[in-house]
């Protein structure tokens, strides 16, 4: 077995397993925290249970059913929220070495919270950073505040979503250098490697094929980390 950190996952993605929260939010629905990603596409592979993902884009609101075997993905700018209809568990595929769980997420807090970085940080904070065993009620509290903001976004029409996108970008500006570095050693590296391999193949050069490795992670590195939508079993990022 080769060093598991020597190569990123295919395409420089990140993977985690998610058990969606099973408590009731202020609107009476059971599930996770509505939020948006700014530069990452995210995908769900449903493994157990049932539910739905609610999405909000400039095209409007949509609710997509989730059942075992379903695969759903959405692009940056899509506000999304998981609704748990019972035992909903998902394998989450995240662009850019798992950046959606490492910074590229803005929760749909009310506008006055989004406009104040200190207030946003306080509202989004979890004890011990959400480490396994941390008080899950803190995650429920921030979920409930985000659901309140999400309801306002839905009723506010396209203009409200445009304003939310602008506030989200302003809030995350200080993190962009770090995000770019993560992309460069993850998805950017994967794309560059493929370009080099295609060049070699066009030249009839099989040399790089002799450097192939096999990688494995036997178990999640953490079980039960508090995520935005539920309890996460996380795997190491390789980029």
């Amino acid at each position: 077995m080769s060093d598991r950190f020597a190569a990123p996952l295919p395409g420089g993605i990140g993977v985690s397993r998610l058990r969606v929260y099973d408590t009731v939010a202020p609107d009476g629905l059971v599930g996770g925290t509505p939020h948006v990603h700014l530069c990452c596409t995210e995908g769900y592979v449903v493994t157990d249970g049932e539910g739905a993902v609610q999405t909000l884009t400039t095209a409007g609101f949509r609710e997509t059913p989730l059942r075992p075997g379903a695969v759903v993905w959405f692009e940056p700018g899509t506000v999304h929220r998981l609704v748990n209809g019972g035992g909903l568990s998902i394998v989450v595929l995240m662009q850019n070495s798992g950046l959606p769980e490492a910074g590229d997420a803005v929760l749909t807090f009310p506008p006055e919270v989004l406009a104040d970085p200190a207030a946003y940080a306080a509202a989004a904070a979890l004890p011990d950073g959400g480490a396994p065993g941390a008080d899950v009620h803190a995650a429920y509290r921030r979920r409930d505040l985000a659901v309140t903001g999400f309801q306002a976004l839905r009723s506010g029409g396209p203009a409200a979503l445009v304003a939310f996108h602008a506030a989200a970008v302003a809030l995350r500006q200080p993190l962009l250098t770090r995000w770019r570095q993560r992309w460069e050693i993850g998805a950017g590296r994967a794309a560059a490697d493929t370009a080099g391999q295609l060049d070699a193949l066009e030249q009839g050069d099989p040399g790089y094929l002799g450097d192939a490795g096999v990688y494995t992670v036997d178990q999640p590195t953490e079980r039960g980390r508090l995520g935005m939508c539920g309890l996460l079993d996380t795997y190491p990022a390789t980029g």
Side-chain angles (χ1 to χ4, degrees):
M1 180 184 70
S2 299
D3 180 358
R4 69 185 184 188
F5 296 104
L9 285 164
I13 65 166
V15 175
S16 65
R17 295 192 310 200
L18 172 66
R19 288 163 286 156
V20 180
Y21 292 131
D22 58 2
T23 58
V24 180
D27 62 351
L29 296 178
V30 174
T33 307
H35 59 281
V36 72
H37 306 303
L38 303 182
C39 66
C40 293
T41 293
E42 185 172 76
Y44 298 150
V45 181
V46 183
T47 57
D48 291 289
E50 62 180 8
V53 58
Q54 295 183 336
T55 55
L56 185 64
T57 67
T58 53
F61 175 79
R62 177 177 174 181
E63 186 166 290
T64 303
L66 299 177
R67 298 182 181 88
V71 179
V72 179
W73 64 99
F74 37 84
E75 296 176 313
T78 305
V79 178
H80 51 286
R81 175 205 188 180
L82 282 168
V83 177
N84 190 349
L88 185 58
S89 295
I90 292 169
V91 173
V92 184
L93 308 176
M94 297 168 285
Q95 201 174 10
N96 299 319
S97 307
L99 184 58
E101 286 288 350
D104 181 15
V106 176
L107 282 60
T108 56
F109 293 150
E112 64 272 16
V113 179
L114 291 169
D116 182 343
Y120 180 91
L126 295 174
D128 298 322
D135 181 10
V136 71
H137 292 91
Y140 299 157
R141 286 192 292 271
R142 74 173 186 178
R143 186 264 321 266
D144 292 352
L145 182 62
V147 166
T148 300
F150 182 61
Q151 291 177 291
L153 279 179
R154 284 185 59 183
S155 63
L161 183 59
V162 169
F164 170 72
H165 283 161
V169 170
L171 190 65
R172 287 299 187 238
Q173 282 288 322
L175 303 179
L176 295 184
T177 297
R178 184 171 30 171
W179 291 7
R180 183 176 293 276
Q181 291 169 345
R182 193 182 186 101
W183 168 79
E184 286 173 346
I185 63 176
R189 171 186 165 186
D193 286 347
T194 299
Q197 291 159 5
L198 288 170
D199 291 343
L201 291 172
E202 288 176 350
Q203 297 165 14
D205 178 7
Y208 73 90
L209 296 174
D211 297 327
V214 178
Y215 309 91
T216 184
V217 178
D218 295 329
Q219 296 291 332
T221 53
E222 290 183 313
R223 294 182 184 272
R225 170 169 283 277
L226 300 182
M228 287 169 286
C229 291
L231 298 177
L232 291 167
D233 295 341
T234 63
Y235 294 83
T238 55

